[in-house]
DNA sequence: AACGCGACCTGCGAGC
DNA sequence: TGCTCGCAGGTCGCGT
């Protein structure tokens, strides 16, 4: 279950293995994993072969690799996404590359997008390594000292996938996401989601203003990737528990301090998970399993139906976590320290 | 605008 | 034992 911290662990690992290398061959083992690349496997492979990976960028749970040297006429998987006849790698506007962040010799216009979905993994593997049971896509990379030759996309449940997308200017002029060499460009397919809480350019003021304008429940807002990205069901429950707020709390009555508390809580939970995942990430593997131990040890709310609330126990009270259906999902709360709003009024 | 829901998937555990 | 069923998760798109 990769959430934002796991994806960031993947990003950090991946960038050290693939940055600067050229994709020499592409093997789509299961076309369902590239179904969001509407032009199909041949187009996908044809446009990737020969491309050079410039960086690995993340916003929320979306991960993408800006590419250089993609074949001219790349359509980025979406008909009409790139102006006809525009060779990929051409600057997206008239500014010189330096004005777009410097340190890049080519301004990319196309990226390889990856979303891990529920069960996706990006693994670096040597050629001799046996295929994984759920291997979906294999990318062969140009040789590099002591580095594995293959980047594999493995996905049991096929909620995730790979596809090519255009890079477009960000709406606020800031970096598209966390990157080694930030550029004010964003993968088109990720342009509709807000910055995530770990993004230095995340604006709490904007978040709070938009939150107050909503007429909905707090958890629904936290899960809305257009408002704040990267928060999934697990971290939403953990953040709400930490902030002592109920999932149904109306957003239009939230005080600034409440909003700040729940957002800080989300950031803390993610940062802790990132630290735990980061420490276990030390091998050739770039995977999403590093944080599973963290989940086992550190969850205070999610999945703990009927178990004691640890915070209440420390305070000498006894209370048990309950599970409710909310948004066709399970939500876990402590009935004592996260009381349900009464009559929707606070 | 808000929101519910189905679709997309597979594996696992519960219950019969 | 073997079957069915419900459930888990994130995202997208459609209908209300």
């Amino acid at each position: 279950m990769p959430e934002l911290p796991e994806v960031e662990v993947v990003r950090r690992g991946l960038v050290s293995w693939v940055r600067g290398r050229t994709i020499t061959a592409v093997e789509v083992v299961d076309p369902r994993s590239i179904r969001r690349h509407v032009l199909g496997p041949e187009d996908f492979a044809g446009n990737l072969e020969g491309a050079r990976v410039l960086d690995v960028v993340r916003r929320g749970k979306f991960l993408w690799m800006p590419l250089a040297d993609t074949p001219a006429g790349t359509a980025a998987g979406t008909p009409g996404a790139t102006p006809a006849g525009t060779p990929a790698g051409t600057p997206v506007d008239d500014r010189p590359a330096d004005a777009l962040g410097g340190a890049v010799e080519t301004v990319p216009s196309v990226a390889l997008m990856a979303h891990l979905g529920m069960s996706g993994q990006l693994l670096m593997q040597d050629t001799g390594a046996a295929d994984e049971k759920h291997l979906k896509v294999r990318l062969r990379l140009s040789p590099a000292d002591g580095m594995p030759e293959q980047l594999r996309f493995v996905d049991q449940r096929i909620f995730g996938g790979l596809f090519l997308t255009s890079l477009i200017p960000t709406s606020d002029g800031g970096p598209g996401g966390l990157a080694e060499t930030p550029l004010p460009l964003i993968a088109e397919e990720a342009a509709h989601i807000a910055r995530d809480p770990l993004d230095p350019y995340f604006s709490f003021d904007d978040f709070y203003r938009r939150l107050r304008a909503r007429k909905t429940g707090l958890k629904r807002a936290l899960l809305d990737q257009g408002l704040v990205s990267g928060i999934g069901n697990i971290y939403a429950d953990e953040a709400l528990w930490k902030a002592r707020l109920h999932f149904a709390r109306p957003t239009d009555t939230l005080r600034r301090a409440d909003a700040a508390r729940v957002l800080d809580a989300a950031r803390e939970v993610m940062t802790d998970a990132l630290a735990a995942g980061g420490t276990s990430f030390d091998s050739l593997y770039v995977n999403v399993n590093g944080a599973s131990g963290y989940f086992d040890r550190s969850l205070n709310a999610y999945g703990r139906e009927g178990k004691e609330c640890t915070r209440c126990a420390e305070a000498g009270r006894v209370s048990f976590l309950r599970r409710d259906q909310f948004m066709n999902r399970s939500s876990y709360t402590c009935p004592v320290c996260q009381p349900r709003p009464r009559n929707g009024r606070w």
Side-chain angles (χ1 to χ4, degrees):
Chain A
M1 47 184 102
E3 297 218 28
L4 186 151
E6 290 78 4
V7 181
E8 176 59 16
V9 169
V10 170
R11 190 194 70 80
R12 292 180 187 181
L14 199 54
V15 72
S16 64
W17 297 113
V18 303
R19 196 179 187 201
R21 296 175 75 181
T22 297
I23 298 166
T24 57
V26 177
E27 185 184 338
V28 178
V29 178
D30 186 341
R32 291 178 298 176
S33 286
I34 63 156
R35 62 173 175 269
R36 288 188 69 181
H37 190 86
V38 297
L39 296 182
E42 293 78 14
D43 184 85
F44 179 77
N47 281 306
L48 276 179
E49 286 167 3
R52 187 160 42 94
V53 178
L54 294 174
D55 203 349
V56 185
V57 188
R58 182 193 59 76
R59 177 185 292 210
K61 298 169 203 162
F62 285 91
L63 197 66
W64 65 90
M65 299 172 222
L67 302 172
D69 308 333
T70 51
T74 291
T78 307
T82 301
T86 302
T90 300
V92 293
D93 57 28
D94 293 325
R95 288 175 286 176
D98 280 354
L100 288 167
V104 287
E105 77 282 23
T106 310
V107 177
S109 62
V110 174
L112 171 60
M113 174 71 99
H115 198 289
L116 301 177
M118 281 304 305
S119 55
Q121 291 174 281
L122 286 164
L123 308 175
M124 296 301 300
Q125 292 283 40
D126 288 314
T127 301
D131 287 0
E132 292 76 10
K133 183 180 178 187
H134 298 292
L135 175 65
K136 303 301 181 186
V137 180
R138 186 199 324 270
L139 305 181
R140 295 178 201 275
L141 303 173
S142 53
D145 276 354
M147 294 194 186
E149 301 87 6
Q150 297 187 8
L151 171 59
R152 300 181 183 179
F153 181 70
V154 176
D155 191 8
Q156 176 200 113
R157 301 180 67 176
I158 327 187
F159 274 29
L162 305 180
F163 55 96
L164 289 171
T165 184
S166 297
L167 289 169
I168 61 175
T170 53
S171 57
D172 60 6
L178 254 63
E180 302 306 297
T181 307
L183 291 172
L185 300 173
I186 188 164
E188 192 170 26
E189 306 284 330
H192 65 291
I193 72 169
R195 294 185 182 276
D196 61 67
L198 299 187
D199 187 329
Y201 284 74
F202 180 88
S203 162
F204 175 76
D205 287 343
D206 287 350
F207 167 76
Y208 181 60
R209 182 174 43 75
R210 297 183 61 205
L211 185 71
R212 282 291 299 237
R214 300 280 173 111
K215 294 193 71 70
T216 188
L218 179 53
K219 182 170 176 181
R220 197 183 295 279
L222 292 176
L223 292 175
D224 183 342
Q225 304 293 299
L227 190 62
V228 52
S229 70
I231 301 179
N233 198 41
I234 296 170
Y235 288 155
D237 277 6
E238 292 301 308
L240 288 165
W241 180 87
K242 202 161 194 169
R244 304 177 191 236
L245 290 165
H246 191 272
F247 58 78
R249 174 69 185 269
T251 52
D252 60 355
T253 68
L254 265 189
R255 291 178 289 267
R256 191 180 170 86
D258 295 326
R261 207 164 70 246
V262 74
L263 199 72
D264 286 346
R267 199 177 280 120
E268 281 172 32
V269 175
M270 288 179 176
T271 303
D272 289 350
L274 185 53
T279 56
S280 67
F281 170 69
D282 198 25
S283 70
L284 293 188
Y285 278 118
V286 175
N287 65 41
V288 297
N289 297 326
S292 59
Y294 169 80
F295 283 131
D296 294 343
R297 287 192 304 275
S298 303
L299 293 184
N300 285 300
Y302 186 82
R304 298 195 68 241
E305 182 182 17
K307 303 219 165 95
E308 261 198 88
C309 172
T310 52
R311 181 168 49 211
C312 286
E314 279 175 30
R317 296 189 301 265
V318 177
S319 108
F320 301 97
L321 276 288
R322 56 174 290 162
R323 180 168 71 99
D324 291 283
Q325 285 298 116
F326 184 68
M327 294 177 71
N328 273 334
R329 283 186 164 88
S330 293
S331 286
Y332 300 88
T333 51
C334 169
V336 173
C337 45
Q338 300 169 271
R340 174 180 276 277
R342 270 158 287 195
N343 308 323
R345 294 273 107 204
W346 284 71

